[in-house]
Amino acid sequence: MNAPTGLSISWIRSHRRSREIAEVVGVTPHFIRADSRLLPLRYLRQHFATKRLLKRERPTVVVVMQPPPIALLSAVSYARKSGAIVVGDLHSGVFFDPKWRWARRWVLRMLRRHGGALVPNSELATMCADAGVEVFVSHGWITPAVNQGEERPAAAADLDTFILVPFTYAADEPVDEVLEAASMTANISWVLTGRPPAAVVQRAPSNVVFTGFVSDSEFKALQVEARAILALTKQASTMQSAGYEAVASATPLITVSEAVIQEYFGENAIYTDLTPGDLATSALRVVEEHAVWQPRMAALRDAVMTSQPRVAEEIRQWVARTAQQEGQVRR
């Protein structure tokens, strides 16, 4: 079965999962981000940029990162005229984030009519299937991360024992809990990436290091050399990218005790209930037991990578079948 031609669209400057999904499906990734502080104006510019791209490329498959829902509308508008299928790369925010969940029913209805959905875990897959949407579960794609001479960002260059906390300072991230946990573990440095609000910096203890935005090579150096990576969210049924990054670098992981996360990581991660005390205890434990947890993550990485070629082929075949079925319905 030949794979259809196509492209993926993400209304963001760059995104690891979007690049991975595009590679697996066999389409070309496109990142569309207009420079405007006014959200309506930015979305309008991105909408027209998407229309121009689709008109020029004429794909038969369009993969669209979700949210935001308006990006899906741009793709569906093209699909109605061209007969292309639309595959939503649905993140958990579509289902649970108050900013976007108002549109969940509409998003699923559009995908039911025009294609299908790729989701990162079985719980979201069930929600799609219950809405009549063709769905396939695709976890993060793992590429081994090794330090090939990359240097850490200057703020963290001289640290010995540190824990890496990739943050965007979004509403679902337990920033206050991490700062309080850090205050309980003076012998461990906590390295927080991303651009923190000034108020967060002001109340952070001295063993918290803020790197600001880092390059890909700097982040790779941090993830390989960290004693552990924290993948933390308060949002239900969410697979954090930091968890996949821990697998890629075989770095011990501390993460939340959500069912969908335990389904993926099993006994290879340390789980926390997100209270400061439990975060601090988990940090001390992973530093002390690093020689136990690092081989477990390495074994998980090997197992995931062994299965990836088969899963990639299954996804490509699923997309091809979905396109073929949609074509038959429309004829």
Side-chain angles (χ1 to χ4, degrees), residues 9-331:
I9 295 170
S10 304
W11 281 13
I12 194 170
R13 284 191 172 85
S14 181
H15 195 270
R16 180 186 57 80
R17 177 174 167 86
S18 293
R19 291 192 298 271
E20 292 168 351
I21 291 294
E23 181 176 355
V24 170
V25 176
V27 301
T28 304
H30 293 267
F31 297 94
I32 298 174
R33 175 77 173 188
D35 292 323
S36 176
R37 293 185 178 181
L38 297 175
L39 191 60
L41 180 58
R42 187 168 76 225
Y43 280 174
L44 186 63
R45 289 175 176 173
Q46 290 170 175
H47 168 70
F48 283 113
T50 300
K51 286 188 65 174
R52 290 193 296 270
L53 172 67
L54 294 172
K55 183 178 180 179
R56 181 179 71 245
E57 299 295 329
R58 306 299 298 175
T60 58
V61 173
V62 184
V63 181
V64 187
M65 186 178 103
Q66 289 292 284
I70 189 66
L72 179 62
L73 178 62
S74 302
V76 166
S77 176
Y78 165 78
R80 285 171 176 160
K81 298 175 182 178
S82 67
I85 70 162
V86 177
V87 176
D89 174 20
L90 304 188
H91 296 207
S92 60
V94 173
F95 300 86
F96 304 113
D97 190 334
K99 184 179 179 181
W100 303 116
R101 66 187 179 195
W102 58 269
R104 178 178 65 190
R105 188 174 301 177
W106 176 82
V107 167
L108 295 177
R109 182 165 60 246
M110 291 296 98
L111 293 176
R112 184 177 68 243
R113 293 176 178 175
H114 296 281
L118 289 168
V119 296
N121 62 65
S122 58
E123 185 171 329
L124 301 186
T126 298
M127 297 174 73
C128 289
D130 288 346
V133 178
E134 292 286 335
V135 63
F136 197 102
V137 176
S138 175
H139 289 287
W141 223 246
I142 303 302
T143 300
V146 295
N147 192 341
Q148 298 177 329
E150 291 90 353
E151 296 184 358
R152 304 179 199 169
D158 299 324
L159 298 180
D160 182 15
T161 301
F162 70 94
I163 290 176
L164 178 61
V165 190
F167 267 165
T168 61
Y169 302 94
D172 68 298
E173 295 173 340
V175 178
D176 290 339
E177 291 86 345
V178 166
L179 296 183
E180 190 171 342
S183 71
M184 302 176 185
T185 56
N187 294 330
I188 301 173
S189 296
W190 298 62
V191 176
L192 278 59
T193 60
R195 184 176 295 163
V200 172
V201 177
Q202 290 171 1
R203 64 177 183 269
S206 59
N207 60 328
V208 171
V209 175
F210 296 98
T211 65
F213 290 121
V214 296
S215 67
D216 289 345
S217 62
E218 288 174 326
F219 185 80
K220 183 181 292 184
L222 288 171
Q223 72 180 98
V224 169
E225 297 176 27
R227 302 298 283 180
I229 293 176
L230 265 63
L232 306 176
T233 178
K234 298 178 182 179
Q235 188 163 276
S237 300
T238 300
M239 293 290 292
Q240 292 289 88
S241 293
Y244 298 127
E245 288 156 355
V247 177
S249 57
T251 304
L253 175 68
I254 300 172
T255 188
V256 292
S257 54
E258 280 277 328
V260 296
I261 294 178
Q262 293 190 38
E263 179 184 355
Y264 182 84
F265 291 103
E267 298 181 352
N268 303 301
I270 295 175
Y271 299 101
T272 175
D273 60 12
L274 289 183
T275 60
D278 197 37
L279 279 169
T281 299
S282 298
L284 292 170
R285 178 186 177 190
V286 78
V287 168
E288 182 179 348
E289 301 176 359
H290 183 268
V292 173
W293 294 100
Q294 192 279 329
R296 292 189 182 185
M297 290 300 285
L300 177 60
R301 179 178 65 184
D302 292 345
V304 169
M305 292 191 63
T306 298
S307 67
Q308 281 184 167
R310 171 184 55 78
V311 175
E313 181 58 27
E314 289 175 356
I315 292 174
R316 285 190 286 269
Q317 290 184 9
W318 173 78
V319 171
R321 285 196 304 271
T322 302
Q324 184 179 55
Q325 290 166 2
E326 186 69 17
Q328 293 172 347
V329 168
R330 295 186 182 191
R331 281 198 291 271

